[in-house]
Structure formats: C-alpha cells, structure tokens
Amino acid sequence: MTTEAKPVLDGRIPAGPMADKWELCQRELKLVAPTNKRKYDIIVVGTGLAGGSAAASLAELGYNVKAFCFQDSARRAHSIAAQGGINAAKNYQNDGDSVWRLFYDTIKGGDFRSREANVYRLAQLSANIIDQCVAQGVPFAREYGGVLANRTFGGVQVSRTFYARGQTGQQLLLGAYSALMRQVNLGKVKMFPRREMLDLVVVDGVARGIICRNLVNGQIETYAAHAVLLCTGGYGNAYYLSTNAKGCNVTAAWRAYKRGAMFANPCYTQIHPTCIPVTGEYQSKLTLMSESLRNDGRVWVPLKADDTRSPEQIPEAERDYYLERRYPSYGNMAPRDVASRAAKERCDAGFGVGSSKQAVYLDFTAAIQRDGESTVRAKYGNLFDMYQKITAEDPYKSPMRIYPAIHYTMGGLWVDYYLQSNVPGLFVLGEANFSDHGANRLGASALMQGLADGYFVVPNTVADHLATRKLTPVSTDHPEFRRCQEETTNRIKKLLSISGKRTVESFHRALGKILWEYCGMSRSAKGLEVAIQKIRGLRTEFWQDVRVLGASNNFNQDLEHAGRVADFLEFGEVLAQDALTRNESCGGHFREEYQTKDNDTLRDDQNFQHVAAWEYAGENAPAVRRTEPLEFTEVKPTQRSYK
C-alpha cells in the first residue's frame, strides 16, 4: 500500500467561532420546499438509532424514504444491545457540566484525534436529544422527586449520563422505532427487512442507489434514489470474538469503499474493559457488562501473583485496587482504553484471576454494604441477572470476573462536516462514519452520536445536497445498475463454486485470531507486518478452499456469512496497514514502540495530527493513504492524564 503525503481532504468546516459554527452553517444550507420534498427518494441502510431516527425524521419532513435492514424487524438493530446510558450536557446535577466540558472530555477522551467542529456540534445537540426522547416516552430513570437521573461514565468527572436501568439502547431504539413505524403507517417510509446491501451504485459520480440480496428468497434487487444514507454500524466482528451481535459486519461500508468512498482511521478499534472473559474455543461471541457498573463496582486483583484463593478468602489488605491506585482522580472510571491496558498489564504480570488467569475482579461488596442490595439491584438488576445466567455465579455474593474485549470501532467511512462522504450523495451516520470519537470513544457517547446524526444533522445536510445539485432522473434500468447487479451475482456464484474443504467459520475465526494477536490491545511494527502477510495468505486460501453450503436462490446463512468474511479479509489488511503507518500511540491504537515511561500513549502531533483515509485504487493495486489535517483552536493537545 502506498502513502499520499499531500493532504487532499477538505472537511468543509464552516467559518466563525466554534460555538456558532452549526448555527451559521444552518443559515447557509439550501432548503427544499415542503411541496418539493415529495419528489425526492432517499435510501436509508440500517435501522438502528442512526438509521431509524434519520428515516423517521426525513419522512416526517415529507421525503419518500426506503429503509433497509438485514434483520426481520427494524427494532432488532444492534443499538438494542447498548446498556449503560447516553451523554448530554444538561447539568442537572449542578456539578459543573456544560456544553464546553462535554466537548473537551470527548476531544481528550479521543486523544486529540477527532475533528473539533464535529465534536462541538455533538455536545451542543446532546441536550436536544434528551428532550426528543422524553417526548417519545423513553422511560429514563428518575430521582425520587421526578427529575431525570444521571450517573458517571469513564473519562469524566461529572454525572451526565442518562439511562434506563441497564437497557438504555433498547429503550432509545423503541423510541426511534415508534417514530419510524408511524411514518411506515403513513406511507412515507417503505420498509425492506431481510435485505442485505451488497453494492453501492454511483452514476455520474453521485450515489444513486444500492444493490441488495433478499435474504429470504435469494433474489438480487435494485433500488434507485436521490441520496443514500449508510447507517450500518461498525466492523468489530472482523476480530471474530467481540461484543457485537453476530450479524454485524463491514460489508455495506466496504462495498461503498470499493465504489470510491474513503475509509478513515480503520486502526482505531475500541477495547472495552468490562467484558465477560473468554471461556473456550467453542465461543462465537462475547458478552459486555456495562461500563456503568464501574460507578459502584471496584476493580481489583490480588497483591500476590498466581494467587489461587477465591476472592472471599483474600482479605482487603491483600488486594490491589490498581485503577484507584494509578488514577486517583478518576479511579474506576478511567477511560476505556486506559482501564483496558491496565487490566492487560496486571494479567500479563501474573496477577490475573480465574481459571484462565485472563480476568480481573469487579466487586460490589462495598456498594452493597453502603447502599443495600435493593439499591444495587434497582440500578443494575438486569445486568447482574445476565451475568449469573452466563457464568452460573451470583455477583451479589461474589465479584464479577471481567476482561477487555473488542467492542466499538471509531474508524469508518470518511465524511465531511455535513456527514457526506467524498462520494456526493452518500451520507454516513453513527458508528459507520469516523467523525466524532477520535482514537477512543467515551462511554455513553455512541447513542448520542447516532441520534444527533439522525434526528438533527442529516435532515439539514441532505436537503442542501438535493437543493444544490442537479440530479437527472435515474431508474434501475440504468446501465450502471445492471452492471453492479451482474457483478454482485457473479461474486455470489464464485463463492458457491469453490467447493473447498474449509468452513466459512474457520476462516473467520482464523482472521480474528490474527487481528487480536497482532492488532488488538497492543501493536508493533514487526507484528503488524506479520499480520498483513498472514491475512494475505488466509485470503488466498479462502478463495481456493472455502466451502459454502446451499444455493443462492433461497435462505442461506452460510452464503451470507461467506460474503461478509470475504470482505473482512480484505478490510483486515487495510486495518493492519493503517496501524502500521501510524507511528504513534493514541487512544485505542497502542503501538508498543511509542509509549511513555508510565506505559501511557505517546502521540506524535507533528507527524500524525491528522485523519488517515484510505482510497481504493483497484483490485490488485495498493490502496492510497490520504490525510485530513486536524486543527485545534479551542483546546490545546496535551499528554492525556487521568491521575
């Protein structure tokens, strides 16, 4: 892969003071008259918080919306799995919070590798999101007097996280889903469930439609529109074992990449510190324990290495509450990347617990003694029940065992301030884009970004695209649609024709092991070079020896999985290459060669204070690395410290 040194990407950030940029931008955005909106068709791929809120909002404005999801219902999107909460700068606790502080915490949490203007807008819109969701009937937790409750999340020193027990994502998704179904009932949204996007159709340089496979009957379908919104989530399942639902994949974004959309910062993957540890080779995914648990749970390991005693047998004086020791200002609420590396260091040094020794304790004894079991149960009951069902251990009586795991991905398709990719007409929302979280996402900010993008940003910016560009009528009879449909069909035929000996699952598991070992919690130049060669070899073997069962003209989950793994194998190499070319440590990207004496990240702001976006250059050509400089006017990049 080659590198393009000259910065070529323009984020189209509006002029003016940071606090006024979004308002000034909205003044300049072109509008579509209400009577003209019904002339425009918009495709929304993905119906999680970003896609569901965008589809509902655009339909409410009068556009004709086609919404696609590969699940059988829009409300099964992976947003439903989010547990702990959603951030907003309401300052209900009167503890010093503000829009600026939320902005600063997010910039700092991302290790100064995110675009200032986008993050400030996100902080500004955060309060509107809560009002919107309360109006929809989202049952946020409330204090005794009736006001909305807040709790703390990692990387901050205020309480700004709104929550609905341990099922915040589910409740927010039901709010967006109800708004979406209202528009379906009114006829302004047409739902297409059980469809998987397999290609983006670009006509005259503008995104004008998609190619889908009907997952029930296997038919290849084509759909045209005036704009396409990708809201398809992240690529964490490239690692095989992750906290993501098994269906989560990179395919829609990757096919858009191969049609010209640049992929930004793919090496920025987030490791979540509170996951139920791996227990065996049989596992196909991992389960997350919400970060909110660290509000009341204390993280510790034995002071003595290789201590085989049960946690109840280890007295207080022989316990190392290492997060509280290392980061006294933040304690157990240190950011996710910091807490994850600290857990790995303790386990690597021989202080891990459990049969695998790859775990640490999350202990609620002090909280139960202080507040009572009923209070803890009211806050976290469903999370405790989930842990007990999975492990057969009672966390009310014995500490949870946790270990870091792949959870979220900060990289994604490159977008400008308007959330438009470098392919005009292709907008990318939520986790599918790169824009807001830098090199590490603060907890409870994913839901905030998805809803801000869908409810408040893209309804404005899509209108500007439609009003400022002459879009000639395009139907699915256009030659480009037929060409893309034929390429999709041929790819499926090729997968089915190989008839090798290895299962799709075995290739996916092998790729995950490579990425976790060489491009997981820590990376090195030597290891990344090994990873790239191993991935290339695995990809070659895949196309020679994979065995895909069944046929293409019916329901075939093995075929679905094969297409996604084929894309992961291509994407995984770009992920590793991006990590190799970024010669610094920042956030979740921890290069072993670049660290402070305290084992913290060591950035190189002189050479790497930029977004790295990879451009597809052809099937057998190396991808091209473009850059967008990151300029900081409101904050000064400093060495991150949570001590």
Side-chain angles (χ1 to χ4, degrees):
M1 297 189 180
T2 58
T3 299
E4 176 68 39
K6 181 181 177 181
V8 295
L9 297 178
D10 178 11
R12 294 206 294 160
I13 300 169
M18 187 64 67
D20 300 333
K21 284 184 184 296
W22 179 231
E23 182 180 351
L24 294 172
C25 176
Q26 289 177 290
R27 292 182 194 176
E28 300 298 323
L29 291 173
K30 302 301 181 183
L31 303 177
V32 177
T35 53
N36 286 334
K37 288 188 174 76
R38 64 177 69 100
K39 300 177 183 178
Y40 291 106
D41 297 323
I42 299 175
I43 285 172
V44 179
V45 185
T47 56
L49 288 182
S53 60
S57 300
L58 291 166
E60 186 79 39
L61 288 170
Y63 297 104
N64 304 307
V65 178
K66 300 182 181 77
F68 297 79
C69 64
F70 62 68
Q71 300 93 346
D72 61 348
S73 168
R75 65 179 181 178
R76 294 193 190 277
H78 187 56
S79 299
I80 201 171
Q83 299 168 341
I86 176 172
N87 289 330
K90 285 283 196 180
N91 195 30
Y92 283 170
Q93 306 299 313
N94 195 29
D95 56 359
D97 200 11
S98 64
V99 167
W100 193 91
R101 192 172 295 276
L102 173 54
F103 156 72
Y104 178 76
D105 286 344
T106 306
I107 289 284
K108 177 183 175 183
D111 216 350
F112 303 95
R113 288 293 176 264
S114 48
R115 192 190 283 149
E116 259 195 345
N118 286 65
V119 177
Y120 198 93
R121 176 177 64 190
L122 179 64
Q124 286 177 306
L125 293 174
S126 64
N128 297 352
I129 297 169
I130 303 303
D131 296 340
Q132 171 92 358
C133 294
V134 169
Q136 289 175 334
V138 173
F140 287 119
R142 294 179 180 269
E143 303 289 359
Y144 178 77
V147 299
L148 297 182
N150 291 125
R151 57 190 177 199
T152 307
F153 258 60
V156 305
Q157 292 180 309
V158 296
S159 295
R160 66 161 68 101
T161 303
F162 295 78
Y163 61 97
R165 210 179 184 192
Q167 51 186 241
T168 312
Q170 178 179 3
Q171 298 304 327
L172 291 173
L173 185 61
L174 288 173
Y177 174 76
S178 65
L180 177 61
M181 288 299 104
R182 177 175 180 271
Q183 296 303 320
V184 170
N185 185 59
L186 292 172
K188 294 304 293 181
V189 174
K190 186 171 182 182
M191 277 297 310
F192 294 88
R194 304 299 290 145
R195 265 77 168 186
E196 181 168 27
M197 175 184 159
L198 295 181
D199 209 348
L200 175 74
V201 182
V202 180
V203 178
D204 298 328
V206 182
R208 295 302 302 269
I210 62 173
I211 309 295
C212 287
R213 180 172 182 268
N214 185 316
L215 299 181
V216 176
N217 59 28
Q219 291 184 2
I220 304 301
E221 303 171 349
T222 58
Y223 299 92
H226 296 91
V228 177
L229 276 59
L230 284 192
C231 315
T232 51
Y235 47 85
N237 273 349
Y239 289 79
Y240 187 73
L241 286 178
S242 81
T243 66
N244 292 181
K246 285 297 291 179
C248 295
N249 62 82
V250 77
T251 288
W254 190 246
R255 303 296 171 84
Y257 162 80
K258 296 183 82 168
R259 292 301 181 192
M262 295 187 192
F263 212 111
N265 299 337
C267 76
Y268 289 164
T269 56
Q270 181 169 79
I271 315 293
H272 198 295
T274 44
C275 178
I276 298 179
V278 177
T279 56
E281 284 290 318
Y282 62 88
Q283 278 188 269
S284 61
K285 75 174 302 294
L286 298 172
T287 303
L288 177 72
M289 290 287 99
S290 170
E291 181 171 299
S292 63
L293 294 172
R294 288 194 281 147
N295 272 289
D296 288 301
R298 300 180 70 192
V299 179
W300 64 276
V301 293
L303 276 174
K304 176 185 175 183
D306 299 316
D307 195 328
T308 59
R309 291 177 293 175
S310 66
E312 295 81 5
Q313 295 175 319
I314 302 175
E316 192 75 13
E318 297 178 28
R319 300 179 179 187
D320 178 15
Y321 295 92
Y322 59 90
L323 289 178
E324 298 173 27
R325 170 173 56 82
R326 294 182 183 182
Y327 310 102
S329 295
Y330 287 77
N332 295 297
M333 299 310 295
R336 291 177 177 179
D337 61 318
V338 173
S340 294
R341 284 194 298 274
K344 181 179 186 297
E345 184 278 327
R346 288 289 80 193
C347 291
D348 290 349
F351 297 92
V353 302
S355 58
S356 69
K357 299 300 180 183
Q358 294 296 301
V360 300
Y361 289 128
L362 181 61
D363 194 338
F364 290 85
T365 302
I368 291 172
Q369 292 175 347
R370 180 184 66 244
D371 302 325
E373 182 178 319
S374 60
T375 299
V376 173
R377 192 179 294 274
K379 287 182 178 180
Y380 312 115
N382 60 316
L383 298 172
F384 278 46
D385 291 345
M386 182 169 64
Y387 182 88
Q388 186 167 8
K389 287 179 180 178
I390 292 172
T391 65
E393 299 171 6
D394 186 351
Y396 293 103
K397 297 178 180 178
S398 183
M400 292 182 180
R401 287 175 293 106
I402 58 171
Y403 192 72
I406 291 288
H407 176 58
Y408 187 88
T409 54
M410 286 74 65
L413 292 182
W414 183 88
V415 293
D416 59 21
Y417 186 76
Y418 298 77
L419 302 187
Q420 186 168 216
S421 74
N422 58 292
V423 176
L426 176 64
F427 293 80
V428 190
L429 285 64
E431 191 179 0
N433 76 34
F434 86 99
S435 66
D436 291 3
H437 306 299
N440 172 66
R441 176 177 68 81
L442 289 182
S445 288
L447 308 185
M448 176 174 63
Q449 184 205 354
L451 292 179
D453 288 356
Y455 280 138
F456 301 111
V457 180
V458 90
N460 291 281
T461 58
V462 164
D464 184 75
H465 162 71
L466 299 174
T468 56
R469 187 178 296 272
K470 183 173 177 57
L471 298 170
T472 57
V474 170
S475 74
T476 55
D477 293 327
H478 190 281
E480 191 62 22
F481 275 87
R482 291 199 296 270
R483 184 177 75 86
C484 292
Q485 184 176 9
E486 183 179 358
E487 288 182 7
T488 299
T489 301
N490 290 339
R491 181 181 174 89
I492 291 172
K493 288 180 179 178
K494 184 178 180 181
L495 283 169
L496 289 166
S497 69
I498 298 170
S499 298
K501 298 179 180 179
R502 285 189 63 177
T503 65
V504 176
E505 184 83 356
S506 72
F507 280 103
H508 194 179
R509 189 185 293 273
L511 173 64
K513 287 183 176 179
I514 293 169
L515 288 175
W516 180 250
E517 181 175 355
Y518 299 109
C519 200
M521 292 181 67
S522 63
R523 299 103 184 256
S524 68
K526 183 178 179 180
L528 290 166
E529 289 169 354
V530 170
I532 290 169
Q533 294 305 315
K534 284 180 175 288
I535 293 170
R536 287 174 180 170
L538 189 65
R539 185 168 67 248
T540 299
E541 186 179 354
F542 175 88
W543 287 104
Q544 294 174 347
D545 199 31
V546 72
R547 185 173 187 86
V548 183
L549 303 175
S552 64
N553 60 351
N554 54 27
F555 179 72
N556 187 341
Q557 289 186 304
D558 201 42
L559 177 59
E560 295 171 35
H561 192 194
R564 295 166 189 170
V565 172
D567 291 329
F568 277 141
L569 285 165
E570 294 180 4
F571 168 74
E573 183 179 338
V574 177
L575 189 161
Q577 186 68 36
D578 187 46
L580 179 61
T581 56
R582 187 169 282 278
N583 295 321
E584 64 167 354
S585 287
C586 53
H589 170 63
F590 190 75
R591 282 283 296 271
E592 295 169 2
E593 306 95 322
Y594 308 102
Q595 54 182 299
T596 68
K597 59 181 178 62
D598 296 323
N599 304 117
D600 287 329
T601 56
L602 184 63
R603 298 193 318 271
D604 181 353
D605 292 341
Q606 182 175 351
N607 295 305
F608 291 96
Q609 191 169 292
H610 59 240
V611 176
W614 295 87
E615 180 181 11
Y616 183 65
E619 200 65 40
N620 297 310
V624 178
R625 186 179 188 268
R626 309 290 189 185
T627 59
E628 177 200 345
L630 292 172
E631 298 180 2
F632 295 94
T633 61
E634 301 298 305
V635 299
K636 180 181 179 181
T638 58
Q639 175 63 42
R640 257 195 335 166
S641 175
Y642 291 94
K643 295 182 177 179

